[in-house]
Amino acid sequence: MNKKIGFILALVVISLMMFSTVSAGFFDFLGGNDSSANDDNTFVVGFDAEFPPYGYKDDSGNYTGFDLELAKEVCERNNWTFKAQPVDWDAKDAELESGSIDCIWNGFTIDGRENDYTWSNPYFDNKQIFVVKTNSGINSIADLKGKTVETQKDSSALAALQGDNKTIADTFATLTEVSDYNTAFLDLESGVCDAIAMDIGVAEYNIKNKNATDDFQVLKESITTEKYGIGFKNGNTELKDKVQSTLDEMFKDGTVLKIAQKYGISEDALIQP
């Protein structure tokens, strides 16, 4: 009888061990035990991979851009591991709150979001403008009356046209949101839309890279101006202060200007600390 009990107990122990092993593997498969989670030495930058010259994928398939190079240099000076993490722009806040990214650094507008994040000092002065076809006959904002205009979803241009500059948007036939500005340029080229509302830096980069300086023009009148900053999770002042201190050093030793010039960004657009 005792031998039978011992045999049964042994089977129970073996079964539990097997269940534990299988369960652990199953939960690992589901992501329940993620060994690649962010550590204190890794700086994960959330960015829109379709937003050149600030963050995008180059012809070699690598993520690059003005803001990403700034972030990479910050990491090198702090002995951090740099990780560029493309995010769905609609989900950027959820990514930041969950801790899967450490900051949003990608032509990110402070204006109107002052209380939503812990911000770095502004480092870039930006304008929101309209791009049209050169031969369209559209030469001013007034000429956009009754026209079809596109902009990127959740963009600063959209916020401006739905907010303080809604009176401009009210004159359009439609204001359509698209997923990215590459789509908007294709629509403008094909005649699906008459104009694009966007950041001037992104506009100039796209026009230059498409070798289309004769095909598109930027209207002289701007929608609004704004300032870019680095957005951290509310309350994360420790990380913000470390990044800010390093970025200030990079401004003083000329590194920021050098990177800006690489991406065709004017010195006038940089906000010195």
Side-chain angles (χ1 to χ4, degrees), residues 210-246:
K210 294 176 186 296
N211 295 316
T213 53
D214 294 331
D215 300 325
F216 302 107
Q217 67 174 354
V218 174
L219 297 187
K220 292 181 180 179
E221 299 170 271
S222 61
I223 306 169
T224 186
T225 60
E226 62 187 9
K227 291 179 172 60
Y228 286 166
I230 310 162
F232 299 83
K233 184 177 179 180
N234 260 331
N236 194 358
T237 55
E238 182 179 357
L239 180 58
K240 183 268 292 183
D241 289 344
K242 287 181 180 178
V243 172
Q244 184 66 64
S245 176
T246 308

Side-chain angles (χ1 to χ4, degrees), residues 40-228:
D40 291 338
N41 200 48
T42 301
F43 186 53
V44 185
V45 175
F47 73 104
D48 177 358
E50 299 285 347
F51 201 57
Y54 307 103
Y56 61 99
K57 184 179 286 188
D58 64 18
D59 294 337
S60 301
N62 299 313
Y63 293 124
T64 188
F66 173 59
D67 284 339
L68 292 186
E69 283 212 31
L70 292 180
K72 186 176 181 181
E73 179 66 20
V74 166
C75 287
E76 289 179 0
R77 296 189 182 202
N78 284 283
N79 295 316
W80 296 339
T81 300
F82 170 68
K83 181 179 179 182
Q85 180 63 53
V87 296
D88 184 329
W89 204 240
D90 286 340
K92 62 184 180 301
D93 293 341
E95 297 272 9
L96 189 62
E97 286 297 318
S98 70
S100 59
I101 60 175
D102 292 310
C103 70
I104 303 168
W105 193 343
N106 188 212
F108 196 33
T109 303
I110 297 174
D111 308 63
R113 299 185 176 114
E114 289 86 350
N115 299 319
D116 297 337
Y117 308 89
T118 289
W119 288 101
S120 70
N121 295 337
Y123 65 93
F124 193 91
D125 198 358
N126 188 53
K127 292 180 180 178
Q128 298 298 322
I129 48 80
F130 291 105
V131 177
V132 299
K133 277 187 172 181
T134 303
N135 61 358
S136 65
I138 300 172
N139 299 300
S140 68
I141 290 178
D143 293 335
L144 291 171
K145 182 178 180 180
K147 304 297 185 182
T148 299
V149 179
E150 290 188 355
T151 191
Q152 182 172 298
K153 61 183 180 181
D154 199 30
S155 65
S156 299
L158 177 63
L161 291 170
Q162 290 179 335
D164 294 341
N165 295 275
K166 188 175 183 297
T167 53
I168 297 176
D170 288 342
T171 68
F172 305 157
T174 59
L175 176 61
T176 304
E177 299 175 44
V178 294
S179 59
D180 56 74
Y181 286 122
N182 285 331
T183 299
F185 266 97
L186 289 173
D187 288 346
L188 181 60
E189 190 172 13
S190 66
V192 172
C193 70
D194 301 298
I196 309 170
M198 61 192 305
D199 302 67
I200 190 169
V202 181
E204 291 175 342
Y205 178 87
N206 274 277
I207 293 171
K208 179 181 177 181
N209 270 31
K210 294 176 186 296
N211 295 316
T213 53
D214 294 331
D215 300 325
F216 302 107
Q217 67 174 354
V218 174
L219 297 187
K220 292 181 180 179
E221 299 170 271
S222 61
I223 306 169
T224 186
T225 60
E226 62 187 9
K227 291 179 172 60
Y228 286 166

